Amino acid sequence: MRTLLLLVGITMSVEMTMAQTAKETIARVNQHFAKVKDYAADIAMNFQIPGVNIEPISGKVYYKTPDKFRVKTKGIVFLPKQNPYYALAMLKDTNAYTAILSGNEKTGNSNCAIINVIPNSETDLILGKFWIDNARGVVMKSQLTTKSNGTIMVENRYGNMLTYALPDKIVFTVDMTKFKVPKAVAVDLNSKSKKSNNESNKGTGTIELQFSNYALNKQLKDEVFTQE
Amino acid sequence: MFNLIGIELFKIITKPRSYLGFLAITLIILLIQFAFYIDGKQYLDFVFQSLQNSFQIEGNVMNGSLICFIILQMLIVQMPLLIALVTGDLVSGEAASGTIRMLLSKPYSRSQILWAKYIAGSIYTFALIAWLGILALGLGLLIFGNGDLVVLKSDELVILRADDVLWRFLTAFFVAFLSLSMVTTFSLMLSCFTDNSITPIVASMSVIIIFTIIGTLDVPLFDKIKPALFTTHMIIWRNLFDNPLPMEQIIQSLSVIVLHIAVFLSIAFWHFNRKDIQN
Amino acid sequence: MSSSAISIRHLSKKFGAFSAVNDLNLEINAGEVFGFLGPNGAGKSTTLRMLLTLIKPTAGEIFVLGKNLQEHRSEILTQVGSIIEKPDFHLYLTGFNNLKIQARLCGLQPADKQLYELFETVGLKGREHDKVKTYSHGMKQRLGLAQALVHNPQIVILDEPTTGLDPQGIIDLRLLILRLKNEMKKTVVLSSHILSEMELIADSMTIIAGGKAVVQGKVKELLSNEDLIIVIEPQNNILCAQELQQSQWQQRIDVVGESTIAMKLSKHEIPELIKFLADKNLGTYSVSYKRTLEDYFLKLTNQPHV
């Protein structure tokens, strides 16, 4: 009996410690990110979407806390349905979710803690999984499972703006079915139908956002995010 | 020669039938533009339905370039018919009305006369294409604005940046003109063989329709003959909107088109020069 | 001695096995009105078309104004104006624009005034700017004449030019042809199947049948001694017939009808007959004759004198 109580006690204390560790890790992330009220930056976008042949494009990107995000380009762009700061904004409110440290993993050159985040209330997010660099306190990778859009994988690469937890590059990987133009509007009469040349990408679409020339905390107006 | 071309153009300009093509093109384009102005968003939602489940698409998708591309796509099938209506009548119409006797008893050689008719027919074809361009692209850009072009290919969606589109349209119009010149020469050739204006027009239309149907049918038997059909190469303008450009296919089709033009013209000249005017 | 305007040598045209023109030889003198006669299908139109390069000869040569037609086609055709078969125009254009086109096809840029004058000459004044589709057949024929003359050619070829013309139109055309010959010194080639028409205006003629020349020569010489059927329409048919029966004309009576009397005479005997009727005080409404190509042709074929 004493042994059993001891085991339960140890387990609970380990769980509490892990939860404690997860919250601390997340707190470090939030601490970094709290320095950013808004920013504007140059952005270069690259797309790998099955069934869509689209050239890279560059433009401007704007962010304002908590989760206003806007990309402005002269052309057509594909963006993930959730903006890149959706998860980080969610992490800010530590009472809104339960965070559990579920292990460690090496991601690139970083030793990362893997933290699972489960919302405490009914939200679009079902489960969030974050790979957080233990040393630098930044999110290296996140995997969000949502009700509306399936699973979205977000990978971050950092450079000069590491102190603000602002990545130089974000890569989104989105689950999708290969896009097909409906036959009713398809146009290739007589053409030799091409076989898909991108079999490896079948089923997932990738969007790369390359950031540069960050201008931080310039008190961006809300209109920036609403203007056409 | 310029004198002759001027006369032939004058005949075309003053013939009411010549305006049917312009009228039809104007009506169809305005109709399509109106429909897209009213219901275009629904159309695009339908096209992008599956993509919109995973992505948010930003930018002016419904723009003048897209509307122009859709119009080209729809109209280019009808254009040969409108062109044959005029070019199929160039020689046989004169034979049917009897004016060919007066024409061929004038000091110009038959080759000069046929060249003049061919050039005038080509100018008409060019004018029709130019009108299509002005209305479809010019008016389209005015109404719907500029933007990246979304090419709705059957196997993929190609998005071309706005600054990469204009030269493609201009080249496409030129290539479409070459393709339609093939129809011009084909109907002109038939026109040299008959003495009534209906036969070459109907024959040209029939051949184009039959070849297009064969080209569209996914039957293995037809796959072998498709490259030999001139209609297969008439849609090569569309390849200019692919990325990267399928240069080999474009050059191959253009060569076939030029070859067809040369063959049709040679037959037309050969027959016209030795034809006895008996009617 | 007149120079040759058109010289046709051993001209033949075959359409498959059918020989439309067979070894035809013709000489047409400059400044004359030449009648080219023959029944339908005789080869008249085919010959004229070969003259205008509309049909290529199977054999033979054509010389126009001393030059070989095949070698100097363009040069020769600037000197030839024609109406072949019937004048056809672009119906959706006005007569004026049609004429302008024809002038430009001859390499001319005529002033509007010249074209208006030509419309007046052919009797179409006031209808210049009406579309040709509103013209009657006779009006088209007149416009055809205008286009044949628009470039002031030396040779005018008119294929059945009186077809569709009203009586006044026919008279006007005759006068115009005579004017072309006498005042403007043009060579006129007329094709017809009506011999009496030729008799009035042609200087020389050729009759062809089956693609071959049946008779050639000066019109006056060819027709002067031929028997004609003269039709007298007297006031009193019976009295007139009795008088003729009792006169030197007795043998020449052919048929006595209810109101007319037909007689067989030579053309030069007609004035004498009229004098006889006047002397006998036989009131006469008319004395007329008609000679059809068929009659003449049938007669010719019975006399192998060609």
Side-chain angles (χ1 to χ4, degrees):
Chain A
M1 187 63 189
R2 279 184 64 186
T3 314
L4 188 64
L5 281 170
L6 187 65
L7 273 173
V8 170
I10 290 168
T11 308
M12 282 180 70
S13 79
V14 167
E15 274 187 2
M16 281 175 72
T17 312
M18 285 175 80
Q20 191 63 30
T21 313
K23 290 223 167 177
E24 279 169 11
T25 310
I26 287 171
R28 285 185 66 201
V29 172
N30 285 342
Q31 197 183 348
H32 269 114
F33 200 59
K35 294 177 199 164
V36 180
K37 303 290 178 216
D38 63 57
Y39 74 76
D42 291 338
I43 191 172
M45 304 179 74
N46 205 350
F47 311 90
Q48 295 290 325
I49 301 168
V52 179
N53 177 347
I54 179 170
E55 292 281 304
I57 193 168
S58 54
K60 292 287 277 182
V61 62
Y62 303 92
Y63 166 77
K64 191 173 181 180
T65 52
D67 62 353
K68 284 196 175 74
F69 183 78
R70 176 82 191 266
V71 171
K72 283 189 180 176
T73 61
K74 282 184 179 172
I76 296 165
V77 291
F78 287 74
L79 293 171
K81 293 196 92 172
Q82 268 79 26
N83 80 51
Y85 298 101
Y86 169 78
L88 283 174
M90 195 203 74
L91 289 181
K92 275 186 179 174
D93 185 4
T94 48
N95 296 322
Y97 57 85
T98 304
I100 301 161
L101 180 68
S102 64
N104 287 293
E105 191 179 290
K106 189 152 178 148
T107 302
N109 294 325
S110 308
N111 286 316
C112 294
I114 303 171
I115 295 170
N116 288 327
V117 169
I118 302 155
N120 292 335
S121 58
E122 186 83 0
T123 62
D124 188 44
L125 182 77
I126 300 165
L127 174 69
K129 194 172 180 182
F130 293 85
W131 284 256
I132 296 172
D133 187 321
N134 285 319
R136 297 186 291 181
V138 289
V139 177
M140 296 302 292
K141 195 159 87 173
S142 58
Q143 183 184 301
L144 308 173
T145 306
T146 62
K147 284 178 193 163
S148 56
N149 301 306
T151 304
I152 303 166
M153 182 72 89
V154 185
E155 289 180 67
N156 300 321
R157 305 275 183 280
Y158 295 90
N160 297 336
M161 301 303 282
L162 178 67
T163 22
Y164 299 95
L166 291 176
D168 281 359
K169 186 178 181 181
I170 304 179
V171 180
F172 290 90
T173 307
V174 181
D175 276 351
M176 62 175 290
T177 48
K178 186 179 184 292
F179 174 69
K180 279 201 169 174
V181 178
K183 277 208 167 181
V185 296
V187 295
D188 287 29
L189 286 174
N190 273 339
S191 79
K192 296 168 189 167
S193 62
K194 279 195 267 177
K195 297 280 175 232
S196 173
N197 51 7
N198 208 353
E199 291 297 332
S200 59
N201 272 344
K202 200 173 180 182
T204 56
T206 307
I207 301 170
E208 284 180 21
L209 309 180
Q210 187 90 43
F211 297 84
S212 59
N213 300 327
Y214 276 106
L216 287 183
N217 302 330
K218 300 286 183 191
Q219 294 182 330
L220 285 180
K221 289 180 179 170
D222 284 348
E223 289 81 66
V224 173
F225 301 91
T226 51
Q227 277 170 351
E228 275 303 308
Chain B
M1 192 66 183
F2 285 114
N3 181 37
L4 264 183
I5 296 168
I7 291 169
E8 289 305 326
L9 277 177
F10 180 72
K11 286 183 203 167
I12 291 176
I13 289 167
T14 48
K15 196 181 273 188
R17 180 190 297 184
S18 308
Y19 295 93
L20 276 177
F22 285 93
L23 188 71
I25 284 176
T26 308
L27 281 176
I28 294 168
I29 290 176
L30 292 180
L31 204 67
I32 294 171
Q33 286 175 339
F34 177 72
F36 273 90
Y37 192 75
I38 302 295
D39 270 340
K41 200 182 168 302
Q42 273 181 317
Y43 173 83
L44 287 180
D45 284 347
F46 169 66
V47 173
F48 294 126
Q49 205 172 13
S50 66
L51 271 180
Q52 278 170 337
N53 288 336
S54 311
F55 299 101
Q56 184 183 334
I57 301 167
E58 288 213 350
N60 182 16
V61 178
M62 173 76 78
N63 55 49
S65 298
L66 175 69
I67 303 300
C68 179
F69 187 82
I70 291 170
I71 289 170
L72 272 185
Q73 191 60 43
M74 289 176 174
L75 259 185
I76 221 78
V77 186
Q78 332 294 338
M79 291 279 282
L81 311 182
L82 299 174
I83 281 164
L85 206 59
V86 170
T87 54
D89 191 48
L90 282 174
V91 176
S92 59
E94 301 249 19
S97 68
T99 50
I100 200 160
R101 293 192 300 270
M102 281 197 265
L103 180 65
L104 298 187
S105 55
K106 295 293 185 285
Y108 289 100
S109 72
R110 289 195 185 190
S111 292
Q112 281 176 314
I113 288 167
L114 197 60
W115 268 122
K117 284 189 176 294
Y118 174 63
I119 293 168
S122 297
I123 291 172
Y124 175 78
T125 307
F126 183 81
L128 215 55
I129 289 274
W131 181 240
L132 174 78
I134 289 167
L135 273 189
L137 189 60
L139 189 63
L141 288 173
L142 269 179
I143 297 172
F144 297 95
N146 199 4
D148 294 350
L149 171 61
V150 177
V151 182
L152 308 170
K153 283 177 62 186
S154 61
D155 54 348
E156 67 175 359
L157 192 77
V158 180
I159 296 171
L160 300 168
R161 296 299 173 202
D163 55 5
D164 190 30
V165 166
L166 186 63
W167 76 268
R168 288 178 194 262
F169 269 119
L170 293 179
T171 318
F173 283 127
F174 177 73
V175 171
F177 165 69
L178 270 185
S179 307
L180 292 174
S181 288
M182 194 161 54
V183 177
T184 306
T185 42
F186 181 65
S187 54
L188 185 73
M189 179 190 76
L190 294 181
S191 189
C192 290
F193 279 86
T194 56
D195 289 338
N196 68 76
S197 41
I198 301 298
T199 307
I201 295 171
V202 174
S204 303
M205 290 180 176
S206 307
V207 168
I208 291 162
I209 290 168
I210 292 166
F211 281 13
T212 307
I213 290 171
I214 293 173
T216 325
L217 286 174
D218 268 335
V219 179
L221 173 73
F222 292 153
D223 283 347
K224 285 176 189 164
I225 59 168
K226 276 179 192 173
L229 306 177
F230 67 84
T231 47
T232 306
H233 304 278
M234 281 177 63
I235 50 163
I236 195 65
W237 66 270
R238 217 163 34 202
N239 288 28
L240 288 157
F241 294 90
D242 212 344
N243 194 19
L245 282 177
M247 283 310 290
E248 196 184 328
Q249 206 180 335
I250 291 173
I251 289 169
Q252 189 191 339
S253 283
L254 284 179
S255 309
V256 172
I257 287 171
V258 171
L259 187 72
H260 269 88
I261 291 175
V263 170
F264 292 154
L265 267 185
S266 303
I267 296 171
F269 274 92
W270 176 77
H271 184 73
F272 190 64
N273 270 312
R274 60 199 295 277
K275 183 180 184 176
D276 284 335
I277 308 300
Q278 289 177 268
N279 63 326
Chain C
M1 187 187 154
S2 346
S3 61
S4 170
I6 298 170
S7 176
I8 291 174
R9 296 172 196 169
H10 305 292
L11 190 69
S12 295
K13 178 66 189 178
K14 282 186 173 181
F15 296 108
F18 171 67
S19 191
V21 175
N22 193 1
D23 197 29
L24 182 71
N25 289 289
L26 275 184
E27 287 295 332
I28 300 170
N29 293 323
E32 73 171 3
V33 176
F34 174 83
F36 195 38
L37 289 105
N40 294 332
K44 298 190 301 287
S45 276
T46 305
T47 306
L48 295 183
R49 280 165 197 255
M50 285 193 276
L51 256 174
L52 293 166
T53 69
L54 294 173
I55 288 178
K56 292 198 182 341
T58 310
E61 284 179 312
I62 300 172
F63 290 86
V64 179
L65 301 170
K67 289 176 179 163
N68 188 306
L69 179 61
Q70 214 174 349
E71 291 163 14
H72 301 273
R73 180 186 177 274
S74 294
E75 197 184 328
I76 288 169
L77 289 180
T78 54
Q79 295 303 326
V80 179
S82 63
I83 305 177
I84 290 296
E85 200 145 313
K86 62 185 171 60
D88 286 306
F89 294 95
H90 301 286
L91 301 178
Y92 52 89
L93 294 178
T94 63
F96 190 84
N97 279 333
N98 266 294
L99 197 56
K100 207 168 190 173
I101 285 178
Q102 297 305 322
R104 289 184 63 191
L105 280 171
C106 297
L108 304 173
Q109 296 282 358
D112 286 357
K113 194 180 158 215
Q114 282 174 274
L115 298 181
Y116 284 121
E117 280 171 5
L118 207 48
F119 269 93
E120 195 171 353
T121 306
V122 297
L124 280 177
K125 193 179 176 188
R127 297 298 303 268
E128 296 91 340
H129 296 289
D130 290 342
K131 288 195 172 169
V132 173
K133 66 181 170 192
T134 66
Y135 282 18
S136 67
H137 185 76
M139 289 169 73
K140 285 182 197 163
Q141 198 69 269
R142 287 165 191 263
L143 184 61
L145 270 174
Q147 70 78 30
L149 300 174
V150 72
H151 54 302
N152 193 24
Q154 284 187 46
I155 297 169
V156 181
I157 297 172
L158 305 174
D159 189 10
E160 313 273 2
T162 54
T163 310
L165 289 181
D166 56 21
Q168 185 58 50
I170 293 171
I171 293 166
D172 290 347
L173 178 69
R174 272 184 211 142
L175 290 173
L176 178 66
I177 290 170
L178 290 172
R179 227 183 101 200
L180 289 174
K181 182 189 110 171
N182 297 328
E183 293 174 23
M184 300 160 90
K185 310 293 176 200
K186 296 190 187 304
T187 307
V188 181
V189 178
L190 279 178
S191 102
S192 178
H193 58 272
I194 304 166
L195 186 62
S196 57
E197 208 174 271
M198 289 297 161
E199 199 178 348
L200 290 170
I201 44 176
D203 298 307
S204 60
M205 70 174 189
T206 289
I207 297 176
I208 67 166
K212 285 185 175 180
V214 182
V215 65
Q216 294 188 30
K218 294 285 174 194
V219 173
K220 277 182 186 166
E221 290 167 15
L222 291 171
L223 299 181
S224 61
N225 296 319
E226 291 303 318
D227 276 351
L228 302 173
I229 299 294
I230 305 293
V231 179
I232 305 167
E233 192 184 359
Q235 275 180 325
N236 187 330
N237 202 35
I238 299 165
L239 183 63
C240 186
Q242 282 172 353
E243 288 290 348
L244 287 168
Q245 294 277 7
Q246 291 160 16
S247 70
Q248 77 272 26
W249 303 102
Q250 185 194 4
Q251 299 297 317
R252 318 299 286 273
I253 295 170
D254 190 28
V255 179
V256 176
E258 266 186 43
S259 59
T260 57
I261 302 162
M263 299 180 71
K264 281 185 178 172
L265 297 180
S266 291
K267 194 177 175 184
H268 67 269
E269 292 175 303
I270 296 173
E272 208 180 322
L273 175 70
I274 292 171
K275 188 170 180 296
F276 170 81
L277 295 172
D279 289 349
K280 293 288 178 185
N281 214 12
L282 293 164
T284 310
Y285 296 121
S286 69
V287 176
S288 59
Y289 74 90
K290 193 173 181 185
R291 184 161 34 200
T292 66
L293 181 62
E294 285 74 19
D295 296 335
Y296 186 67
F297 179 73
L298 288 172
K299 195 172 174 186
L300 282 176
T301 48
N302 292 331
Q303 294 177 6
H305 68 273
V306 177

